């Protein structure tokens, strides 16, 4: 699955991501979610990234790692902060105004 997802991203002209309250699936043997791996692949390939980050107040509890316990909530929080902070050069929608 990992290689297929990363190959798909490498073929893209634009990477669009939507981040909510769940970090996503981590394949056995991996340390990062497929979503974060895809984001990193786009970054490494120089593919422009357009990332939408759902406001925390708009995320219902059942749609969060705090509720599902699928991953530690800190994982999605750190990823959201990294993307929102622009430390990886992501394009944020508010930069278009």
């Amino acid at each position: 699955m990992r290689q297929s997802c990363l190959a798909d991203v490498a073929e893209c002209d634009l990477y669009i991501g939507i981040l909510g309250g769940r970090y996503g699936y981590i394949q056995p043997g991996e340390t990062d979610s497929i979503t974060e791996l895809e984001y990193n692949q786009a970054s490494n390939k120089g593919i422009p990234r357009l990332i939408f980050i759902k406001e925390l107040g708009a995320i219902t509890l059942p749609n969060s790692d705090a509720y599902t316990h699928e991953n530690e909530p800190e994982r999605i929080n750190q990823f959201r902060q990294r993307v929102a902070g622009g430390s990886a050069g992501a394009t944020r929608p508010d930069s278009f105004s």
Side-chain angles (χ1 to χ4, degrees), residues 24-58:
Y25 176 70
I26 301 175
Q27 192 171 2
E30 294 288 340
T31 58
D32 295 325
S33 71
I34 293 293
T35 304
E36 190 160 4
L37 291 171
E38 289 175 341
Y39 177 85
N40 293 340
Q41 174 79 333
S43 178
N44 293 337
K45 295 286 184 182
I47 297 168
R49 289 152 289 140
L50 183 60
I51 308 299
F52 297 90
I53 302 172
K54 193 170 185 179
E55 291 183 18
L56 290 175

